[in-house]
Amino acid sequence: MARLIMWNLMSLDGYFEGPEHDISWHNDVWGDELEALSIEQGRAAGALVFGRVTYELMHGYWPQETGPVADFMNELPKHVFSRRLTASPWHNTVMHDGADLAGTVSRLKREADKDLFLFGSADLASSLAPHDLIDEYRLGIAPVLLGAGTRLFRHAARTRLRLLEARALSSGVVIARYTAR
């Protein structure tokens, strides 16, 4: 059975995006190491999982990009959970209405040969966490304070996590991997 891995860059003060969905601060920490990690994760992924807002941002950016990260973002199967959207023009995208969110994600994990990666999508992650469906929380903690935006864990219940790995990149980003098990 595949694992569901939540991967996000977040600011030191807990935001994964600034006001108005601003992620321009990613450019402050992007470099060879983070790109290599992204490519490694893309090769390990069997599919991507998004909520509607993150999907719309990703779809607005990746289809016209090129390069190794763009290649896996565009080619991997994508599962989007939305009550509003019913179809997608983005290659290899399946829409789910979220009516049975836990059941659908459990089925996707059972059917996948490789791990599923959940990007952004704080509300979706908050809905999946109480069902113990997120197997790993993988965070890139950036040395930046945003002061406002969308908190990554704004709807989280108290959950004790176990550290799997922590390592610093030359950009100052700390990659932290946790599991709830």
Side-chain angles (χ1 to χ4, degrees):
M1 181 157 87
R3 299 176 303 151
L4 178 62
I5 298 171
M6 185 193 79
W7 161 247
N8 275 295
L9 278 178
M10 65 182 266
S11 65
L12 188 59
D13 54 349
Y15 297 98
F16 80 98
E17 62 183 6
E20 309 288 324
H21 306 295
D22 176 30
I23 59 169
S24 63
W25 57 275
H26 288 196
N27 295 326
D28 297 340
V29 296
W30 188 259
D32 292 341
E33 292 169 298
L34 206 48
E35 181 176 23
L37 175 65
S38 296
I39 292 167
E40 176 187 326
Q41 292 183 141
R43 289 184 179 138
L48 305 174
V49 178
F50 302 121
R52 179 191 54 84
V53 174
T54 301
Y55 160 76
E56 288 177 335
L57 293 169
M58 296 286 191
H59 176 253
Y61 181 78
W62 288 111
Q64 60 271 0
E65 293 298 311
T66 59
V69 176
D71 290 347
F72 76 75
M73 292 297 293
N74 288 315
E75 292 306 315
L76 279 171
K78 291 163 276 297
H79 296 277
V80 178
F81 290 86
S82 173
R83 289 180 294 276
R84 292 184 195 174
L85 302 177
T86 58
S88 170
W90 197 6
H91 172 69
N92 221 2
T93 300
V94 177
M95 306 304 284
H96 304 276
D97 65 11
D100 180 17
L101 178 62
T104 302
V105 171
S106 292
R107 178 182 54 78
L108 292 173
K109 288 173 64 173
R110 280 191 312 273
E111 293 174 353
D113 294 327
K114 295 170 77 177
D115 291 336
L116 309 173
F117 277 75
L118 171 65
F119 293 163
S121 308
D123 290 339
L124 180 57
S126 292
S127 297
L128 295 171
H131 300 284
D132 293 324
L133 289 169
I134 300 175
D135 299 288
E136 183 180 325
Y137 295 84
R138 196 173 292 178
L139 305 170
I141 303 163
V144 62
L145 301 172
L146 294 179
T150 306
R151 290 201 181 276
L152 184 55
F153 298 109
R154 65 183 178 200
H155 301 298
R158 183 178 177 145
T159 304
R160 176 88 171 118
L161 302 174
R162 183 174 56 88
L163 180 66
L164 298 172
E165 176 191 19
R167 65 181 161 114
L169 305 182
S170 62
S171 65
V173 170
V174 174
I175 304 298
R177 294 177 50 225
Y178 296 95
T179 184
R181 298 179 182 95

